[in-house]
């Protein structure tokens, strides 16, 4: 039996809100929630951790995890301008910004660059040919593009788990992809477009419909092994958004496969 | 040759245009001079002058005293040969829309007369004369050294030639602007994240600025030979519309709006492009 993976338990420290911290226009003082506190702590000490002045080993598990996330390429190359994210798969913008003292390490470029020029820059100046997905990136996307079900009718549904023990249902995977800075966009069966949380919710209901369709057709106790592959994954490297088209989905009944 | 008839009126663009139109239609020979201070229509028999503000005789005396001193100063020739920037405002790189109940405003006292005096461009007598003038007369007296005018010649009602005449000592005025701007930029650099913006001879800082930074800034002002004063600024707010900054405040009890463009955006973008070119 596969070992059940439980949610990570973090041993946190107590964090105070930094001086002058405001949230939705309100000043915050006292203790901050651990999740937020750890994030603010790592952000404030990013350079020290990088240099080793603040030893990596002295960080809590949560802080280590946040720090690793901030060291990832996706994080470093995702830029914010007003309410939109821009992902530069080429990494050239990050390199250019890091060579300018005032812009070093900056990811939110609102108020720092002219809006029109910045958007044009993303559309034109970053050569799309430089942004082609390499094999590693491609496999990362495919990781999020299929679901596997294995259960007996009448029993509780079981999802396959991958080698690391992660659930392989689409919702878990898409949420994981969003945490990594990727956005999800869904073209629904009626052609309408859904984004963000709505997109994930639509993927969930779509899968539930497909699973129900096969379950209804099976007899009590029958084994159902289902693979749902979202073939039409289109990726926009500039916004780091993947588009799933629900009109182009392959559903494989693995019990029927020779 | 002195004209027989002369009339002086306050600026009235519509009247100016209609007189010029009449002269053109009548096929007269005349000249039009446009400057920062006035517009003159110089005809064969009369001069019509349109002025923006009427300055007292003291303003012209002060201006003449400055010019006389500039002619004598050893530094004039060297400064006249320089290339000086006339940009006299800047804001924090990445300034976000914000509001503060109070803001720290440091103003250099009589920045331009002191700058002329400190740089040995005017003598003590002229300096004292300038300082005795009210602020609204002192600034035009100094500004006059940068006077610039456009002359258009009309012959038989048709414009034939035009010329731009710049004051002989205009570059001295630009030098003064740059000296004060450099001082402001220096202070902004020390203030770092606490800097908001500067405008001519006044710098605006976040109320949270540390005493140490403030002492360093005022120390530099004093070291360079300038006096400064703190102004009472309340209800400070910054609104951004792309590269335009709308800043409002109550300064010494009066509402004071500033509109400026954020030069940092274009500056940053140019730097990014340069980096990409070099990559």
């Amino acid at each position: 039996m596969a070992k059940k993976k439980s949610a990570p338990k973090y041993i946190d420290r107590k964090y105070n809100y930094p001086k002058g911290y405001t949230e939705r226009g309100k000043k915050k003082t006292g203790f901050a929630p651990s999740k937020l506190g750890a994030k603010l702590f790592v952000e404030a000490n990013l350079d020290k951790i990088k240099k080793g002045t603040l030893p990596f080993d002295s960080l809590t598990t949560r802080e280590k995890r946040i720090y690793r996330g901030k060291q990832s390429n996706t994080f470093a190359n995702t830029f914010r301008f007003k309410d939109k994210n821009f992902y530069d798969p080429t990494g050239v913008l990050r390199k250019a910004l890091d060579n300018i003292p005032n812009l070093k390490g900056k990811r939110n470029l609102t108020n720092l660059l002219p809006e029109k020029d910045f958007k044009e820059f993303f559309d034109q100046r970053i050569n799309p040919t430089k942004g082609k997905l390499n094999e590693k990136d491609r496999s990362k996307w495919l990781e999020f593009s299929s679901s596997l079900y294995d259960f007996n009718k009448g029993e509780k549904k079981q999802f396959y788990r991958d080698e690391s023990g992660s659930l392989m249902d689409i919702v878990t995977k898409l949420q994981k992809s969003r945490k990594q800075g990727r956005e999800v966009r869904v073209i629904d069966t009626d052609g309408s477009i859904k984004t963000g949380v709505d997109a994930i919710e639509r993927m969930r209901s779509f899968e539930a419909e497909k699973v129900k369709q096969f379950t209804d057709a099976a007899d009590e106790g029958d084994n159902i092994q289902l693979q749902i592959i979202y073939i039409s994954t289109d990726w926009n490297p500039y916004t780091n958004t993947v588009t799933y088209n629900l009109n182009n989905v392959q559903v494989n009944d693995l019990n029927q496969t020779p | 040759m002195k004209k027989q008839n002369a009339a002086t009126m306050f600026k009235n663009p519509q009247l100016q245009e209609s007189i010029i139109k009449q002269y053109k239609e009548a096929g007269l020979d005349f000249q039009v001079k446009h400057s920062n201070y006035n517009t003159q229509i110089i005809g064969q028999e009369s001069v019509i002058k349109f002025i923006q503000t009427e300055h007292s005789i003291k303003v012209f005396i002060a201006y003449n005293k400055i010019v006389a001193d500039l002619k004598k100063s050893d530094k004039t020739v060297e400064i006249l040969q320089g290339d000086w920037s006339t940009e006299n405002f800047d804001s924090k790189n990445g300034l976000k829309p914000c509001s503060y109940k109070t803001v720290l405003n440091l103003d250099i006292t009589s920045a331009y007369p002191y700058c002329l005096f400190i740089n040995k461009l005017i003598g003590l007598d002229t300096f004292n004369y300038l300082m005795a003038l009210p602020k609204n007369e002192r600034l035009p007296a100094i500004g006059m050294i940068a006077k610039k005018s456009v002359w258009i010649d009309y012959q038989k009602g048709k414009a034939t030639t035009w010329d731009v005449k710049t004051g002989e000592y205009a570059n001295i005025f630009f030098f003064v602007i740059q000296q004060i701007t450099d001082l402001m930029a220096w202070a902004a650099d020390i203030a770092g994240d606490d800097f908001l913006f500067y405008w001519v001879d006044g710098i605006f800082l976040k109320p949270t600025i540390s005493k140490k930074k403030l002492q360093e800034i005022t120390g530099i002002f004093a070291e360079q030979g300038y006096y400064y004063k703190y102004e009472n600024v309340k209800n400070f707010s910054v609104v951004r519309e792309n590269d335009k900054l709308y800043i409002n405040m109550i300064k010494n009890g009066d509402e004071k709006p500033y509109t400026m463009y954020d030069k940092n955006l274009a500056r940053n973008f140019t730097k990014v492009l340069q980096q990409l070119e070099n990559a």
Side-chain angles (χ1 to χ4, degrees):
Chain A
M1 198 179 125
K3 200 183 164 191
K4 199 177 175 187
K5 196 188 173 191
S6 57
K9 282 193 176 66
Y10 298 114
I11 299 163
D12 291 308
R13 2 171 169 245
K14 291 253 182 210
Y15 301 93
N16 275 309
Y17 280 110
K19 209 180 165 188
Y21 183 81
T22 52
E23 205 174 84
R24 294 189 190 103
K26 278 186 182 172
K27 271 192 182 172
K28 291 275 194 180
T29 50
F31 290 121
S34 304
K35 197 176 164 188
L36 174 69
K39 182 176 162 270
L40 295 172
F41 175 81
V42 172
E43 280 172 2
N45 293 292
L46 207 57
D47 280 346
K48 283 184 189 168
I49 305 168
K50 257 184 220 172
K51 281 179 198 160
T53 330
L54 183 64
F56 180 76
D57 288 343
S58 72
L59 302 180
T60 65
T61 320
R62 192 196 290 270
E63 287 163 0
K64 280 179 186 164
R65 183 176 158 266
I66 293 170
Y67 175 71
R68 282 197 200 101
K70 290 194 184 298
Q71 292 305 100
S72 76
N73 275 341
T74 311
F75 179 83
N77 290 314
T78 303
F79 301 95
R80 189 112 184 126
F81 204 99
K82 287 194 172 167
D83 54 350
K84 278 191 180 147
N85 277 336
F86 293 83
Y87 177 64
D88 170 19
T90 64
V92 292
L93 183 59
R94 176 76 279 144
K95 233 183 205 175
L97 292 173
D98 285 350
N99 281 330
I100 304 163
N102 283 333
L103 305 176
K104 195 179 174 195
K106 296 269 187 212
R107 291 176 57 247
N108 188 345
L109 301 174
T110 323
N111 306 324
L112 285 166
L113 294 175
E115 187 174 1
K116 194 171 159 254
D117 293 336
F118 177 74
K119 286 184 175 165
E120 273 178 16
F121 167 80
F122 252 89
D123 288 347
Q124 298 164 13
R125 293 294 299 263
I126 292 188
N127 184 350
T129 57
K130 285 185 192 167
K132 270 187 182 168
L133 280 178
N134 58 31
E135 279 313 307
K136 199 179 155 199
D137 285 333
R138 203 188 308 278
S139 69
K140 264 187 191 171
W141 272 116
L142 288 173
E143 186 191 316
F144 299 116
S145 304
S146 68
S147 288
L148 276 165
Y149 292 84
D150 179 18
F151 63 98
N152 296 328
K153 187 172 174 178
E155 290 173 12
K156 201 182 166 194
K157 276 191 240 11
Q158 293 271 322
F159 300 110
Y160 274 133
R161 289 175 189 275
D162 64 11
E163 283 173 0
S164 71
S166 294
L167 282 171
M168 289 187 75
D169 73 297
I170 196 75
V171 179
T172 312
K173 283 190 291 183
L174 291 180
Q175 273 168 350
K176 190 177 163 194
S177 93
R178 283 195 85 202
K179 276 185 186 168
Q180 291 180 0
R182 297 170 170 91
E183 277 302 330
V184 179
R185 187 170 165 267
V186 166
I187 301 171
D188 208 340
T189 43
D190 62 1
S192 64
I193 289 171
K194 293 180 173 66
T195 54
V197 179
D198 290 343
I200 293 182
E201 176 51 30
R202 179 59 193 124
M203 295 288 276
R204 189 201 61 75
S205 63
F206 178 83
E207 276 209 5
E209 283 163 23
K210 289 287 165 205
V211 174
K212 190 174 180 295
Q213 203 180 311
F214 278 80
T215 314
D216 288 349
D219 293 329
E220 201 67 17
D222 276 0
N223 179 254
I224 297 166
Q225 281 196 354
L226 216 56
Q227 185 186 35
I228 304 173
I229 306 168
Y230 300 89
I231 304 160
S232 54
T233 49
D234 168 49
W235 180 57
N236 179 344
Y238 303 109
T239 54
N240 203 9
T241 302
V242 72
T243 301
Y244 295 102
N245 187 345
L246 297 185
N247 296 303
N248 200 355
V249 179
Q250 189 181 313
V251 182
N252 297 327
D253 181 353
L254 298 181
N255 286 329
Q256 301 294 319
T257 310
Chain B
M1 195 180 87
K2 198 170 178 184
K3 307 292 168 192
Q4 284 181 333
N5 302 313
T8 303
M9 286 173 253
F10 277 105
K11 203 168 183 179
N12 182 340
Q14 280 180 333
L15 183 60
Q16 278 167 224
E17 288 310 309
S18 73
I19 294 171
I20 292 169
K21 200 179 165 194
Q22 273 182 29
Y23 277 28
K24 279 159 82 174
E25 283 169 0
L28 299 179
D29 291 349
F30 65 102
Q31 268 186 322
V32 177
K33 178 202 159 193
H34 293 287
S35 78
N36 296 343
Y37 304 99
N38 61 50
T39 294
Q40 289 182 46
I41 303 169
I42 306 159
Q44 294 291 315
E45 290 170 8
S46 64
V47 177
I48 306 168
K49 199 173 182 179
F50 293 92
I51 57 168
Q52 285 231 30
T53 45
E54 205 170 10
H55 293 303
S56 82
I57 188 76
K58 284 180 182 173
V59 174
F60 297 97
I61 294 173
Y63 163 70
N64 286 330
K65 282 172 99 55
I66 295 169
V67 171
D69 283 5
L70 289 176
K71 280 180 183 165
K72 283 186 276 179
S73 171
D74 295 336
K75 292 188 76 182
T76 303
V77 177
E78 186 193 331
I79 293 170
L80 284 177
Q81 285 166 354
D83 189 15
W84 314 106
S85 163
T86 54
E87 297 225 327
N88 54 3
F89 64 92
D90 205 355
S91 56
K92 181 187 168 182
N93 200 349
L95 182 64
K96 291 176 189 166
C98 59
S99 62
Y100 293 97
K101 277 187 182 169
T102 55
V103 151
L104 215 68
N105 171 210
L106 269 174
D107 265 3
I108 304 232
T109 310
S110 307
Y112 289 1
Y114 269 99
C115 184
L116 287 166
F117 184 62
I118 289 164
N119 287 286
K120 296 182 177 135
L121 290 161
I122 57 169
L124 188 60
D125 179 47
T126 306
F127 174 72
N128 286 337
Y129 192 87
L130 276 170
M131 294 301 281
L133 292 178
K135 192 178 177 179
N136 61 352
E137 292 190 339
R138 199 189 302 145
L139 283 177
I142 300 171
M144 270 182 197
I145 61 177
K147 63 185 176 186
K148 193 178 177 182
S149 54
V150 178
W151 293 72
I152 306 167
D153 279 325
Y154 289 86
Q155 284 190 352
K156 291 180 183 163
K158 282 189 178 167
T160 50
T161 57
W162 65 279
D163 192 15
V164 180
K165 291 178 184 172
T166 311
E168 191 185 347
Y169 298 106
N171 226 12
I172 300 287
F173 186 68
F174 304 147
F175 165 78
V176 169
I177 291 175
Q178 188 166 334
Q179 291 296 300
I180 301 300
T181 306
D182 286 351
L183 198 60
M184 289 289 129
W186 194 353
D189 200 34
I190 295 167
D193 202 40
D194 295 310
F195 167 60
L196 290 166
F197 84 104
Y198 67 75
W199 184 274
V200 189
D201 53 3
I203 186 164
F204 297 80
L205 307 161
K206 283 185 193 172
T208 48
I209 189 167
S210 70
K211 227 177 179 179
K212 196 184 157 202
K213 277 185 185 175
L214 209 54
Q215 278 171 349
E216 205 179 327
I217 292 169
T218 52
I220 279 162
F221 288 170
E223 189 189 292
Q224 297 296 311
Y226 293 95
Y227 291 91
Y228 57 88
K229 55 183 180 288
Y230 288 97
E231 299 283 4
N232 184 6
V233 173
K234 286 178 182 170
N235 298 352
F236 179 95
S237 69
V238 178
V239 174
R240 180 186 280 279
E241 214 174 81
N242 298 322
D243 69 344
K244 258 195 185 150
L245 295 169
Y246 298 95
I247 300 171
N248 272 289
M249 66 183 83
I250 307 284
K251 187 173 173 179
N252 297 328
D254 296 324
E255 203 169 312
K256 213 163 176 191
Y258 293 82
T259 304
M260 63 170 85
Y261 75 98
D262 186 351
K263 293 183 270 187
N264 294 294
L265 302 188
R267 221 183 267 158
N268 289 338
F269 195 63
T270 308
K271 284 182 190 168
V272 170
L273 294 182
Q274 278 168 354
Q275 285 297 328
L276 291 171
E277 291 293 316
N278 298 335

